[in-house]
Amino acid sequence: MAEKMELNEVEVWDGNMAASQALRQAQIDVVAAYPITPSTPVVQNYGSFLANGYVDGEFVMVESEHAAMSGCVGAAAAGGRVATATSSQGFALMVEVLYQASGMRLPIVLVVVNRALAAPLNVNGDHSDMYLGRDSGWIQLDAYNAQEAYDLTLMAFRIGEDVDIRLPVMVHQDGFITSHTAENVRPLSDDEAYAFIGEYPMVNAMLDLAKPVTYGVQTEEDWHFEHKARQHHDLMTKVFGKVEEVFDAFEKKTGRKYNIVEEYFMDDADVAIVALGTTVDTAAYVAEKLRKEGIKAGVVSPRLIRPWPHAQMMEALKGVKAVACLDRSSPNGAMGMLYNEVAATMYQSDSKPVITNYVYGLGGRDFTVEHAENIYKELAANAEAGKPTTPLQQFIGLRGPKLSFY
Amino acid sequence: MKYLGWDELLPGAILFSFDEELDKDASYILPEERPYAETNSHEAYVGDWRVLKPVYNRDLCIDCQFCWIYCPDVSIISRDKKMIGVDYDHCKGCGICVEVCPTNPKSLLMFEERIPNEEALAQWPEKE
Ligand code: SF4
Ligand code: SF4
């Protein structure tokens, strides 16, 4: 039995430490990992927990992220509770295996510390890797700070491992901004955290010699579609209820409230920013400030990125006149992901807000209060005019002449 | 195989190896008696694209089982720790078994697919 760690009521942890503590408390059977900036400390901390007797399971050091996720898939199929962490290029290298994990319905937990994708090489944060995993069939949750990284990582196990769901879960946090900023985090004790997550409900374990199974079979046109339909169906219908249930249970335990779609100042908002990660806090700060100047500003953020919370987003943006979708990823030849998702959702809504797209913060470029203020002012003009007064897609915080499209 | 709707499938790309529930460790059941599931790859032919095939020479084999351990497609047939031959329905012709065979001359050698096994055995090399 692993030793318990005595934790203070309030710990000073960065996002990485918060995630690794959650992994430790989950008493994982196997962590297979390869280090990559900025998520290295997640597995580095985990390694030192193991070396100091705080971890019971196996820590497998592999030769690449592809092997890390492959090891996780193997261990999860064999019947264990499994997790790992990655960022950026490492995430990209894992992508092939991410589809295996979700297709085999293995509830692996992956801590993703978001970072830009090369070239040019960059270790700082943006959401390129988060966006890369959108169609991989994983449940994706987004944390804005260290406390949330801890909370959501714990909850990820309970969501993904539910026998009805059995899907892998990613928990995202912003590279360096969250992952390397030390903040106050209120942890659960080891016993409470484990009791919250519960024993791992093993299903069809490959190592069950009395009932051997084959994982990741070849199905071709005969069965592939049926498997994918089932996976999509479960994502679209079962995950929302389960996530709500786990969020509620967590609120009862800790008093910390999470929502599938987070809303700030949205009760009577005319204009809203839709964003992810640490930007949400900046936008909420600015929205509160602008309300004193008479702009009814609000912020909406999908806590759950996949499955996409279509109904909840529509509800959150109901009656809003102008919406700005902030994408922290290079759209590379399209409107940004949030713009596309939100526009598709609101196209079905009775209230059709003016929706514009802002691309910002690539490769760790700061997103400032001033940026947010300008966006809200443009939104206010759009709301007043009832149509876009600015180009549909703009790049903000970029050096040189303005870049905008449509 | 029975046709199922998407909602009747077991979630995940999982197939059961056996049709019946096993009440004992599968490794204790003789391979010939195993109640393989219809979906088990044992029931399917997958060695079609082989160009070269391994030919087995019983006269030289020392039953070391190296080939059995190393074959990535579980295509070496061994019973009671005795080599019997190659399962050509599954062998992909990678040549690993030949590579690891320690005898001199080797007890497994690669030949072109079109050459009959008797012909191959007739032209086996001498000890080096
Ligand atoms: S050639 Fe390859 S696949 Fe065929 S029996 Fe030998 S090791 Fe196995
Ligand atoms: S490796 Fe060669 S000697 Fe050993 S069992 Fe196989 S065929 Fe026989």
Side-chain angles (χ1 to χ4, degrees):
Chain A
M1 208 34 216
E3 270 181 64
K4 297 226 162 61
M5 195 178 273
E6 290 295 323
L7 299 174
N8 296 315
E9 194 188 327
V10 180
E11 291 279 350
V12 180
W13 286 344
D14 59 23
N16 280 329
M17 178 55 97
S20 32
Q21 289 281 2
L23 298 192
R24 181 185 63 77
Q25 291 184 326
Q27 298 191 21
I28 299 164
D29 297 305
V30 177
V31 169
Y34 189 83
I36 183 165
T37 306
S39 67
T40 303
V42 176
V43 288
Q44 191 180 338
N45 296 335
Y46 194 80
S48 66
F49 295 153
L50 180 94
N52 291 314
Y54 292 111
V55 167
D56 242 355
E58 295 290 325
F59 182 42
V60 190
M61 277 164 269
V62 287
E63 100 299 349
S64 73
E65 285 87 348
H66 189 276
M69 190 40 70
S70 300
C72 287
V73 164
R81 175 175 277 165
V82 175
T84 187
T86 196
S87 297
S88 184
Q89 307 301 123
F91 183 93
L93 191 51
M94 275 185 185
V95 165
E96 191 223 359
V97 197
L98 296 183
Y99 283 75
Q100 309 279 354
S102 63
M104 295 185 207
R105 306 294 293 260
L106 303 172
I108 298 163
V109 170
L110 175 61
V111 175
V112 187
V113 180
N114 295 133
R115 167 187 146 185
L117 284 170
L121 190 64
N122 185 318
V123 297
N124 287 294
D126 71 27
H127 293 157
S128 303
D129 48 7
M130 178 202 290
Y131 283 20
L132 179 61
R134 273 171 347 193
D135 285 351
S136 63
W138 286 54
I139 298 166
Q140 287 179 281
L141 294 162
D142 187 26
Y144 316 148
N145 54 44
Q147 178 73 62
E148 295 177 358
Y150 171 80
D151 293 351
L152 290 171
T153 306
L154 286 182
M155 287 190 271
F157 287 98
R158 187 151 154 187
I159 295 166
E161 290 173 0
D162 184 273
V163 278
D164 277 341
I165 295 183
R166 284 194 60 84
L167 282 163
V169 187
M170 288 175 206
V171 180
H172 296 273
Q173 57 174 287
D174 278 356
F176 290 104
I177 311 179
T178 303
S179 68
H180 285 63
T181 305
E183 302 176 274
N184 285 358
V185 175
R186 293 175 178 274
L188 298 173
S189 73
D190 285 7
D191 286 336
E192 278 179 311
Y194 190 73
F196 177 78
I197 302 172
E199 288 276 316
Y200 179 58
M202 213 189 281
V203 178
N204 295 325
M206 212 160 60
L207 286 187
D208 179 357
L209 291 182
K211 203 181 175 192
V213 292
T214 308
Y215 265 87
V217 293
Q218 188 165 355
T219 57
E220 300 307 342
E221 72 277 27
D222 250 5
W223 290 107
H224 184 87
F225 198 2
E226 278 73 19
H227 277 286
K228 290 294 178 193
R230 172 131 206 178
Q231 187 181 332
H232 184 64
H233 171 266
D234 290 353
L235 275 158
M236 296 297 271
T237 62
K238 293 182 178 168
V239 173
F240 298 111
K242 185 70 203 172
V243 169
E244 250 160 28
E245 183 194 315
V246 173
F247 282 179
D248 286 349
F250 195 76
E251 190 194 1
K252 282 205 187 75
K253 179 131 210 73
T254 64
R256 294 193 285 272
K257 174 91 185 118
Y258 289 86
N259 299 292
I260 286 178
V261 170
E262 303 288 359
E263 298 178 28
Y264 304 91
F265 314 108
M266 284 307 293
D267 286 345
D268 62 342
D270 284 333
V271 295
I273 279 179
V274 177
L276 294 164
T278 46
T279 309
V280 175
D281 283 344
T282 308
Y285 168 79
V286 173
E288 190 174 18
K289 199 166 126 194
L290 289 181
R291 281 189 164 252
K292 296 190 187 106
E293 298 172 24
I295 297 178
K296 286 187 185 167
V299 184
V300 172
S301 179
R303 175 73 70 188
L304 186 64
I305 306 154
R306 280 291 183 276
W308 176 255
H310 180 82
Q312 295 88 336
M313 284 299 283
M314 198 189 281
E315 184 60 31
L317 292 170
K318 201 171 69 187
V320 174
K321 295 189 184 115
V323 177
C325 298
L326 272 54
D327 282 290
R328 196 168 201 162
S329 164
S330 173
N332 280 336
M335 302 301 267
M337 182 275 279
L338 279 178
Y339 176 89
N340 279 319
E341 298 284 14
V342 170
T345 296
M346 296 316 286
Y347 189 75
Q348 308 302 326
S349 163
D350 291 336
S351 71
K352 291 200 172 49
V354 180
I355 308 177
T356 45
N357 186 206
Y358 293 83
V359 176
Y360 75 103
L362 301 190
R365 178 69 47 86
D366 272 346
F367 178 74
T368 65
V369 166
E370 199 188 347
H371 290 144
E373 279 173 359
N374 286 340
I375 290 171
Y376 275 123
K377 285 183 181 147
E378 292 186 358
L379 285 180
N382 290 353
E384 172 125 17
K387 60 178 188 335
T389 58
T390 53
L392 280 188
Q393 186 178 55
Q394 300 184 63
F395 282 56
I396 56 170
L398 184 67
R399 277 198 293 269
K402 280 198 166 193
L403 195 55
S404 62
F405 301 95
Y406 304 112
Chain B
M1 199 180 157
K2 200 178 137 219
Y3 277 85
L4 303 169
W6 65 267
D7 51 342
E8 297 167 285
L9 279 173
L10 193 75
I14 305 164
L15 292 178
F16 290 102
S17 305
F18 301 110
D19 269 336
E20 295 153 32
E21 295 256 331
L22 297 180
D23 49 10
K24 53 184 160 187
D25 185 341
S27 59
Y28 287 102
I29 306 177
L30 275 182
E32 287 78 5
E33 294 168 3
R34 287 180 180 178
Y36 285 111
E38 255 183 290
T39 50
N40 191 296
S41 60
H42 184 267
E43 303 297 298
Y45 295 82
V46 286
D48 293 2
W49 49 279
R50 184 178 54 223
V51 182
L52 299 177
K53 65 177 173 187
V55 175
Y56 171 59
N57 192 333
R58 177 69 256 177
D59 296 343
L60 301 160
C61 175
I62 56 171
D63 293 315
C64 69
Q65 306 291 298
F66 281 12
C67 54
W68 181 79
I69 285 173
Y70 279 97
C71 171
D73 288 305
V74 211
S75 305
I76 297 293
I77 312 171
S78 171
R79 297 286 178 264
D80 299 325
K81 299 191 181 161
K82 288 240 178 298
M83 254 295 275
I84 296 178
V86 180
D87 173 358
Y88 286 125
D89 290 341
H90 294 93
C91 165
K92 309 287 200 310
C94 67
I96 290 173
C97 52
V98 169
E99 206 60 47
V100 297
C101 182
T103 58
N104 186 0
K106 283 180 185 289
S107 321
L108 278 162
L109 282 176
M110 299 306 280
F111 286 88
E112 279 176 42
E113 186 66 27
R114 64 184 166 79
I115 299 174
N117 279 13
E118 305 77 61
E119 206 177 294
L121 286 167
Q123 43 179 283
W124 215 264
E126 292 297 313
K127 181 171 174 159
E128 276 175 33

